[in-house]
Amino acid sequence: MKRKIYFYMILLSWLLCAVACYDEKELSPSGIISSYSVPQGEHDYDDVIVEYYNKYGSCLLYKFSDKDTYWTPSGWMNGVLGVNGKAGYLATPADEKYVGEQLDLIQKLWFSSYSAEFLKEFLPMKIMLCSEIDSLYVTWDFSVTPMQMVYLSKGVRSWYNCDNICVGYGDIAVTQMTKKDSSDFRSRMNRIFVESMIGRGKTAPTKEFGESANYNISSSDMYTASKLWAAGIPQLVNYSISESNDWKTFLLMMVLSTEEFLTRVPEYNNNWDSTSKNWDGILNPVKDVNGLLKKRYDMVRNYFIENYNMDLQKVGNALKR
């Protein structure tokens, strides 16, 4: 026993010596800017940005670092173009000459659709004002042997990532928008906003909502869209069944479709189960045979009315104008 104690004492002294003698290299800054604040300049529109920050707690940034937009706890989300690239997105800061008009666009086609309480709760910490936003995707180059994976880009007008949403039209294009451009932008922002809320874990199904459908039904009994709808589940395929997916789907229904579209008698389709890819008449008894979809839809709608003074269906209804 004494020999064991003696051995452990020697081992401990070695460890202490090793720690004391360890020569740590001098730390140097990485050069990555990891902080942000407003105002970022002295333009007239900087006062508007500061007002938004004071009102909603969200920074609208036209100057930002790669870390500000691409970094997440699980890795960097910036894509890489070309062979051996990487999926993700690329965001280019706005041209400061057009930020004022871009802010007007954001107010008119995004912020004005939602209550102040809703925006304060659900806007992300950062909104990146961009001139260009590119989504990177993979395709195959069959012109070479062996064939290669190549990453290409597609322009989009908004994107969300972790704690931020990127918004486009921070360039001359904001002065040239057509009616269709405005409609597309409004729809895109509504979708990205909801997906950002879900992705950041800012909203989740209530207990009442989760208990309002039977998620224990076997997949063999839920193999068609019509069977799912009859059970109050607004999905087309059974592998996407979950409380969270249903909550998200009802939210998207409200901000992307008019109430008239959701509740009307749907256009006849003798093969709804395989070809229906929208929500045409999904709350009408023709599809909602047991009334469970409408019941659950109302739960979600009323939740946001009662807690955030926000009727989300009004957002979708505005799309027809």
Side-chain angles (χ1 to χ4, degrees), residues 263-277:
T263 59
R264 72 181 186 178
V265 176
E267 295 180 2
Y268 180 72
N269 186 331
N270 62 2
N271 197 17
W272 276 330
D273 289 344
S274 62
T275 62
S276 178
K277 295 183 179 180

Side-chain angles (χ1 to χ4, degrees), residues 183-239:
S183 178
D184 290 346
F185 178 76
R186 186 198 295 265
S187 294
R188 174 77 179 179
M189 288 312 308
N190 290 339
R191 176 181 290 277
I192 288 295
F193 192 17
V194 167
E195 290 180 347
S196 168
M197 290 163 50
I198 300 293
R200 291 181 290 120
K202 292 292 292 183
T203 183
T206 63
K207 184 174 184 291
E208 178 191 23
F209 180 83
E211 293 174 347
S212 64
N214 183 1
Y215 289 98
N216 296 319
I217 299 176
S218 66
S219 59
S220 61
D221 293 329
M222 305 286 281
Y223 60 88
T224 63
S226 57
K227 287 183 177 293
L228 292 170
W229 298 335
I233 297 173
Q235 307 299 334
L236 297 177
V237 290
N238 58 25
Y239 61 75

Side-chain angles (χ1 to χ4, degrees), residues 297-309:
Y297 161 94
D298 286 339
M299 284 182 184
V300 180
R301 185 175 181 177
N302 290 334
Y303 171 83
F304 287 97
I305 291 173
E306 293 166 5
N307 290 279
Y308 302 103
N309 188 33

Side-chain angles (χ1 to χ4, degrees), residues 132-152:
E132 295 181 10
I133 308 168
D134 291 304
S135 169
L136 273 61
Y137 64 96
V138 66
T139 187
W140 289 94
D141 182 358
F142 296 100
S143 66
V144 297
T145 304
M147 61 182 180
Q148 294 178 316
M149 285 185 7
V150 180
Y151 284 82
L152 304 178

Side-chain angles (χ1 to χ4, degrees), residues 13 19 28 38 42 58 74 85 107-108 122 124 142 147 154 174 180 183 189 197 266 276 284-285 288 295 317-318:
S13 66
V19 171
S28 58
V38 294
E42 298 180 351
S58 185
S74 59
Q107 172 60 31
K108 180 181 178 181
F122 295 111
F142 296 100
M147 61 182 180
K154 176 184 179 181
V174 75
K180 183 179 185 304
S183 178
M189 288 312 308
M197 290 163 50
S276 178
N284 187 283
D288 186 17
K295 177 183 177 181
N317 291 345

